[in-house]
Amino acid sequence: MQKIKGFLLIGIIISILITSLIITTAAEMTAEEIINKRDDNEYFDTAQMEAEMIIVSGSRKITKTMVALTDKKNSLVEFTNSQDRGTKFLKREDDLWMFFPDAEEIIKISGHMLNQGMMGSDFSYQDVMEADKLTDLYDFKIIKEEEFEGRPCYVLEGIAREGVKVSYYRRVTWVDKERFIGLKEELYAESGRVLKETRVNEVQEIEGRWVPINSVMENKLRKDTYTEFIITLIKFNLEIPEETFSLQNLR
């Protein structure tokens, strides 16, 4: 009888362990679920923003300030620092224009020009153009879990979907396991060469979502250069008149 009770107890313990394992496995998130939660944090319907961009090249440092209005497909940015005051860029769907007040000229940015640094920064115009959710552009898989700057993270690899035009064929992203925000990202060419790296220095909870308010972009093809992007004010879900994103409003 004692043996039967012993076997019964062992059986119950094994059953509990198996059940716990099944529950744990079921609770584990897929790569798509993780990226979707990141997208829910970092993408929005409309926003109004004030920001500054600090461009560092060797010992040289340039600060540019700007205001921006954006929705899912369009953006209007106006630079407000004295050197660039009145310079604007307009992104409308898949097109990008710049207005330079000194020349009173509107220029469409296209072709190889999209790969140039925006206003001399480490962000290219093409970086600005990509507004789609990551799950629409890449197929992701979880490759490991590790800490970044003391925060537990999922590390995911994204490969560009066939037939989709993207700036970077492959991206490896560190996603905070608690706040579901990208803390670091490595961006690669199809050849395997790393092109850029982004790091988030500070996040803040704003209107119920975690926002990267201080981040750095480093172009790995250039030496001793990086660009820091700081959001000083942001508001979500504003009513933006349709005519805001018109060419007439660019001047």
Side-chain angles (χ1 to χ4, degrees):
M1 188 68 178
Q2 188 66 33
K3 283 187 177 180
I4 294 175
K5 286 183 178 179
F7 285 132
L8 182 60
L9 180 60
I10 291 171
I12 291 171
I13 291 171
I14 291 173
S15 177
I16 290 171
L17 288 174
I18 290 173
T19 303
S20 298
L21 179 62
I22 292 171
I23 292 172
T24 301
T25 303
E28 289 178 354
M29 298 184 68
T30 66
E32 185 175 2
E33 287 171 338
I34 293 166
I35 294 297
N36 275 331
K37 287 184 77 68
R38 176 188 165 175
D39 279 345
D40 289 343
N41 246 333
E42 299 182 17
Y43 290 84
F44 37 79
D45 291 332
T46 62
Q48 181 182 22
M49 183 191 309
E50 295 179 12
E52 62 181 42
M53 190 165 62
I54 303 171
I55 304 167
V56 178
S57 181
S59 59
R60 188 182 181 203
K61 181 184 290 187
I62 300 172
T63 299
K64 299 179 184 292
T65 57
M66 68 197 77
V67 294
L69 287 169
T70 183
D71 64 16
K72 287 182 177 179
K73 293 290 185 181
N74 311 297
S75 296
L76 177 65
V77 177
E78 181 174 358
F79 288 87
T80 55
N81 57 291
S82 58
Q83 184 179 359
D84 304 300
R85 194 180 306 278
T87 299
K88 301 178 185 179
F89 78 74
L90 172 67
K91 174 192 175 296
R92 198 169 64 186
E93 297 282 339
D94 296 323
D95 294 313
L96 182 66
W97 292 270
M98 294 284 296
F99 171 71
F100 299 95
D102 290 344
E104 295 187 355
E105 185 178 12
I106 294 175
I107 297 175
K108 187 173 184 179
I109 308 295
S110 60
H112 70 278
M113 295 173 67
L114 288 169
N115 295 319
Q116 296 177 4
M118 183 186 72
M119 302 292 284
S121 74
D122 292 88
F123 294 93
S124 70
Y125 291 105
Q126 188 64 50
D127 290 332
V128 177
M129 290 296 291
E130 287 188 356
D132 293 329
K133 288 191 173 184
L134 291 175
T135 47
D136 294 334
L137 304 175
Y138 295 87
D139 291 316
F140 283 93
K141 67 178 180 181
I142 302 169
I143 56 176
K144 59 182 174 178
E145 296 180 17
E146 67 178 21
E147 287 193 357
F148 175 74
E149 301 291 344
R151 301 289 306 182
C153 291
Y154 298 105
V155 184
L156 298 95
E157 177 189 59
I159 302 295
R161 292 188 171 185
E162 189 173 350
V164 176
K165 185 179 178 181
V166 293
S167 301
Y168 311 103
Y169 174 75
R170 175 174 172 259
R171 58 203 308 154
V172 178
T173 180
W174 281 251
V175 180
D176 189 307
K177 294 179 74 172
E178 179 186 356
R179 300 174 296 189
F180 292 96
I181 191 166
L183 297 180
K184 177 184 174 183
E185 197 154 44
E186 296 172 347
L187 306 168
Y188 293 84
E190 191 168 359
S191 66
R193 186 177 188 181
V194 61
L195 300 175
K196 293 183 180 180
E197 180 181 297
T198 63
R199 300 182 306 279
V200 172
N201 294 329
E202 185 179 354
V203 301
Q204 193 175 108
E205 190 173 15
I206 302 173
E207 297 183 22
R209 65 170 77 212
W210 290 100
V211 180
I213 62 169
N214 184 307
S215 57
V216 171
M217 170 72 86
E218 183 180 354
N219 188 333
K220 293 295 186 178
L221 303 182
R222 298 163 61 183
K223 289 185 178 181
D224 301 322
T225 178
Y226 64 88
T227 300
E228 185 176 5
F229 189 81
I230 303 169
I231 297 173
T232 55
L233 176 68
I234 189 166
K235 297 178 181 179
F236 299 110
N237 302 320
L238 305 169
E239 291 289 335
I240 300 178
E242 188 175 342
E243 61 271 16
T244 298
F245 304 111
S246 66
L247 280 173
Q248 289 77 12
N249 204 30
L250 193 56
R251 291 186 179 274

